[in-house]
Amino acid sequence: MPPRTPPDDAHPYLRAASAGIRHHTRSLSPPDAAPPRRADRLHLDVLHAHLTALLHLLDHLAETTRPPYPTAGRHLATAHTRLWQATSEVHSAFHLLPADTAAEEAEASACHPERLPEGPPVLTICQRHLTAGHVLRRKTTPTDLRPHTTACAR
């Protein structure tokens, strides 16, 4: 049996991502009397990218967990579906927010491959959302996507 990885050494990238989200959440609500910052389109685009990365991770975990532990795999698959619903709402909110200014909109939509070492981004938020939706729809039914109530299995 392989040695167990101590919790401090397990999954360092996930821990770092979680710490980054906690830090970002705190920075959105400054402790002084300043008003909280509102979400903008760039913010929601980055959040959508994070959620779709989590979708891929949950999908992988559900697929690899289901054969040896079917019940746990079903719960992970359900979490994947619910995360998709959250991702879809963030995508909708993105399109409902106005661009701050025409200059910012032009800057955000302009292609600047010289700014990225690997070239321009491959996916826009809509392409990313369609890709994630295609993967989800291969594995779920419309019934799976309906609202639900949660009951603890313990």
Side-chain angles (χ1 to χ4, degrees):
M1 187 167 179
R4 280 186 57 107
T5 305
D8 293 343
D9 294 336
H11 313 292
Y13 297 115
L14 283 176
R15 282 195 340 273
S18 297
I21 289 173
R22 284 190 303 272
H23 174 74
H24 184 71
T25 302
R26 283 190 303 270
S27 73
L28 286 175
S29 300
D32 55 358
R37 292 176 33 202
R38 67 174 182 83
D40 58 5
R41 292 183 99 187
L42 181 60
H43 187 173
L44 292 184
D45 184 27
V46 173
L47 180 60
H48 187 272
H50 184 78
L51 290 172
T52 53
L54 286 173
L55 277 170
H56 293 298
L57 177 61
L58 267 175
D59 184 43
H60 176 74
L61 290 173
E63 289 299 315
T64 57
T65 303
R66 186 171 284 163
Y69 306 104
T71 305
R74 280 193 302 274
H75 281 284
L76 289 173
T78 300
H80 179 263
T81 302
R82 302 304 171 233
L83 184 59
W84 162 255
Q85 291 170 332
T87 304
S88 186
E89 294 301 323
V90 169
H91 178 252
S92 296
F94 173 88
H95 287 294
L96 293 174
L97 286 177
D100 290 334
T101 65
E104 287 180 14
E105 178 68 18
E107 179 69 21
S109 63
C111 180
H112 296 285
E114 70 279 2
R115 294 184 185 172
L116 299 171
E118 67 277 2
V122 177
L123 299 175
T124 65
I125 186 170
C126 294
Q127 290 171 327
R128 185 185 324 117
H129 194 69
L130 289 171
T131 302
H134 177 72
V135 170
L136 179 92
R137 286 183 181 92
R138 280 186 319 179
K139 298 178 181 189
T140 60
T141 65
T143 304
D144 294 333
L145 297 174
R146 75 185 190 293
H148 75 292
T149 57
T150 304
C152 184
R154 287 185 154 179

